Amino acid sequence: MGVVATGKQRSERRADALSKERIVETAIEILDTEGENALTFRALAARLATGAGAIYWHVANKNDLLTAATEAVVARALTEGDDAAEPRQAIRDIALGVFDAIDAHPWVGTQLTREPWQAAMLSIFEGLGGRLPALGVPEPAQFDAASALLNYVLGVAGQNAANAREHARATDRRAFLGAVAARWSALDPRRYPFLNRAAERLPDHDDREQFLAGIDLILAGIETLGGPA
Amino acid sequence: MGVVATGKQRSERRADALSKERIVETAIEILDTEGENALTFRALAARLATGAGAIYWHVANKNDLLTAATEAVVARALTEGDDAAEPRQAIRDIALGVFDAIDAHPWVGTQLTREPWQAAMLSIFEGLGGRLPALGVPEPAQFDAASALLNYVLGVAGQNAANAREHARATDRRAFLGAVAARWSALDPRRYPFLNRAAERLPDHDDREQFLAGIDLILAGIETLGGPA
DNA sequence: ACCTGAACACCGTTCAAGT
DNA sequence: ACCTGAACACCGTTCAAGT
């Protein structure tokens, strides 16, 4: 609109001035659509129609960029699932919010597990730990209990991110799980009895349900800490 | 011994022929003493007094190398803490074995969370899940329960690895935790009441004890699944 | 069969130079 | 103040050539 193309074609037209926000949003786009490996300063600069060095004026380095992108996604995820009044349900909602965010943006799982004490992680920690008083958990035990929930969430986050990296574009989940299950079934049943049994359940299990089952297990353990509900 | 130095000095003398085992052990040495970033094919080749390309004859790629290194460390960790008869204690021993291995080799935590379904992870999974029948957990629930334990262990593993990466050589743990706690205390106590309280416990808490407290919490939840013990 | 080491195709990051 | 883009110092990986 009103922009006259001069001489050489340019692949992309600058929408407006560069800003950290615009850089972060573009990075999220690349991460979501092309995967973790596709985010390079060169690719990012090309999409933003600028030089690679320009990005460094707004962002300290790649880690800073990834942290900001993670923070943006997690912040949205946590505000969406507004607070349930019931503390058990509130904790489930927060955990599921993070789970679903990582399902949609697997690279968030990678970054969440790589960079400790970042803002995104603190929000999750507060969300989980903040409900423990209402659950009747005595103060001295709250730190450990919230840590257990957080670390479980982070563990699943990392695995989901790794799985997404493995079969980049969902190459038939059932076939993939079937192949893994076949490997488990091939193990010596005397040395690996549990994996042999688990192999039968693997192909049909639902990741989200299993994730929630784990949360409920930890919540059940936490409830043994407090007085009667 | 009996080797005559000819012409130019060579920085290192080849002890014997190259092998995957020798490559993996040397990689572990570098990872342990110089950190994750120090492991490059060039550095590895220099230590082995060979060319970078030679390594590829024995190892498919860097990921293969890291997986093999992780497997070696985890296998040792799991065989050391021999099986306790009591299932709760056996699960604690396995979890603590992994925890201590990552404490000694933080890069194992990174690799464990990056590469799913690798042999090292399967051994841990079997070790944890294999004790659930003795705990009275009904078969249909065992897969979910073992997953919860595994993901918790992996979450802690990732965090410990990330922490070790952060302050490369333990620059006074208490000072570091004190700085983190100060940041938590600086947060608005109305929006972050839990983190403000947790800040007081952070500097003096023991990672290993907190890890075990989480295991016990999940075990307490798992015990609500079975019949009476 | 196994090893050598230069070369290739990338990276993140810096920085002199522009506006 | 902000942007440009070439240059630097690395990487993992390949491969022709050696033994």
Side-chain angles (χ1 to χ4, degrees):
Chain A
M1 340 178 151
V3 172
V4 179
T6 60
K8 321 213 166 177
Q9 78 289 6
R10 77 174 46 175
S11 55
E12 203 133 347
R13 175 167 38 110
R14 286 266 293 285
D16 40 17
L18 229 44
S19 69
K20 178 152 183 175
E21 202 199 339
R22 216 161 73 81
I23 291 170
V24 168
E25 289 305 319
T26 308
I28 292 175
E29 263 177 52
I30 294 176
L31 288 162
D32 283 348
T33 57
E34 301 176 54
E36 301 182 28
N37 292 336
L39 182 68
T40 68
F41 277 80
R42 274 164 249 261
L44 190 52
R47 276 230 207 183
L48 291 164
T50 183
I55 296 166
Y56 283 88
W57 188 263
H58 303 275
V59 166
N61 50 42
K62 190 168 185 181
N63 203 58
D64 181 28
L65 175 59
L66 284 168
T67 299
T70 301
E71 208 174 317
V73 170
V74 170
R76 275 171 225 157
L78 290 183
T79 51
E80 272 170 22
D82 239 15
D83 351 61
E86 210 279 302
R88 258 168 302 251
Q89 194 54 44
I91 288 175
R92 278 194 205 98
D93 288 349
I94 292 164
L96 281 176
V98 176
F99 181 92
D100 290 337
I102 288 160
D103 201 47
H105 317 274
W107 52 272
V108 169
T110 306
Q111 187 59 16
L112 229 34
T113 56
R114 280 199 80 73
E115 197 69 16
W117 313 129
Q118 62 190 316
M121 218 185 77
L122 293 188
S123 302
I124 300 170
F125 202 28
E126 177 67 39
L128 297 169
R131 264 57 175 209
L132 296 179
L135 263 186
V137 179
E139 205 278 325
Q142 289 175 19
F143 187 34
D144 287 354
S147 266
L149 285 166
L150 177 67
N151 278 308
Y152 171 70
V153 169
L154 292 177
V156 174
Q159 288 307 293
N160 284 4
N163 284 332
R165 236 182 283 124
E166 210 81 353
H167 49 151
R169 277 310 108 206
T171 33
D172 190 354
R173 171 187 160 82
R174 256 198 70 99
F176 172 72
L177 290 182
V180 174
R183 252 179 297 151
W184 294 6
S185 298
L187 296 168
D188 180 355
R190 267 162 318 198
R191 285 187 56 202
Y192 296 93
F194 169 72
L195 286 176
N196 268 275
R197 274 177 281 128
E200 290 170 38
R201 302 198 172 269
L202 181 64
D204 289 310
H205 91 292
D206 181 281
D207 279 341
R208 200 169 187 272
E209 275 173 29
Q210 186 168 69
F211 171 70
L212 198 54
I215 292 287
D216 284 341
L217 224 40
I218 301 176
L219 282 175
I222 287 176
E223 277 162 20
T224 67
L225 294 174
Chain B
M1 338 181 149
V3 172
V4 179
T6 59
K8 319 211 166 178
Q9 77 287 6
R10 77 175 46 176
S11 54
E12 203 132 347
R13 175 166 38 110
R14 287 267 293 285
D16 40 14
L18 228 42
S19 69
K20 178 151 183 176
E21 203 200 339
R22 215 161 75 82
I23 291 170
V24 168
E25 290 305 320
T26 309
I28 291 175
E29 261 178 53
I30 294 176
L31 289 162
D32 283 349
T33 57
E34 300 176 55
E36 302 182 26
N37 292 337
L39 182 68
T40 68
F41 276 81
R42 273 164 250 260
L44 190 52
R47 276 229 206 183
L48 291 165
T50 182
I55 296 167
Y56 282 87
W57 187 264
H58 303 274
V59 167
N61 50 40
K62 190 168 186 182
N63 203 58
D64 181 29
L65 175 60
L66 284 167
T67 299
T70 301
E71 207 174 316
V73 170
V74 170
R76 274 171 225 156
L78 291 183
T79 51
E80 273 170 22
D82 239 16
D83 350 60
E86 210 279 301
R88 259 168 300 253
Q89 194 52 45
I91 289 175
R92 278 194 204 97
D93 288 349
I94 292 163
L96 281 177
V98 176
F99 181 93
D100 290 338
I102 288 159
D103 201 47
H105 316 275
W107 52 272
V108 169
T110 306
Q111 186 59 16
L112 229 34
T113 56
R114 281 197 79 73
E115 198 68 15
W117 313 130
Q118 61 190 315
M121 219 185 75
L122 292 188
S123 302
I124 300 169
F125 202 27
E126 177 67 39
L128 297 169
R131 263 57 174 211
L132 295 179
L135 263 186
V137 180
E139 204 278 324
Q142 289 175 17
F143 187 34
D144 287 355
S147 265
L149 285 166
L150 178 68
N151 278 308
Y152 171 70
V153 169
L154 292 177
V156 174
Q159 288 306 292
N160 284 4
N163 283 332
R165 236 181 286 126
E166 210 80 353
H167 49 150
R169 278 310 107 209
T171 34
D172 191 354
R173 170 187 160 82
R174 255 198 71 98
F176 172 72
L177 289 183
V180 174
R183 253 179 295 151
W184 294 7
S185 298
L187 295 168
D188 179 355
R190 267 160 322 194
R191 286 187 56 201
Y192 296 93
F194 169 72
L195 286 175
N196 268 273
R197 273 177 281 128
E200 291 170 37
R201 302 197 172 270
L202 181 63
D204 289 310
H205 91 289
D206 182 282
D207 279 341
R208 201 169 185 273
E209 275 174 28
Q210 187 168 70
F211 171 70
L212 197 54
I215 292 287
D216 284 341
L217 223 41
I218 301 176
L219 283 175
I222 287 176
E223 277 163 20
T224 67
L225 293 174

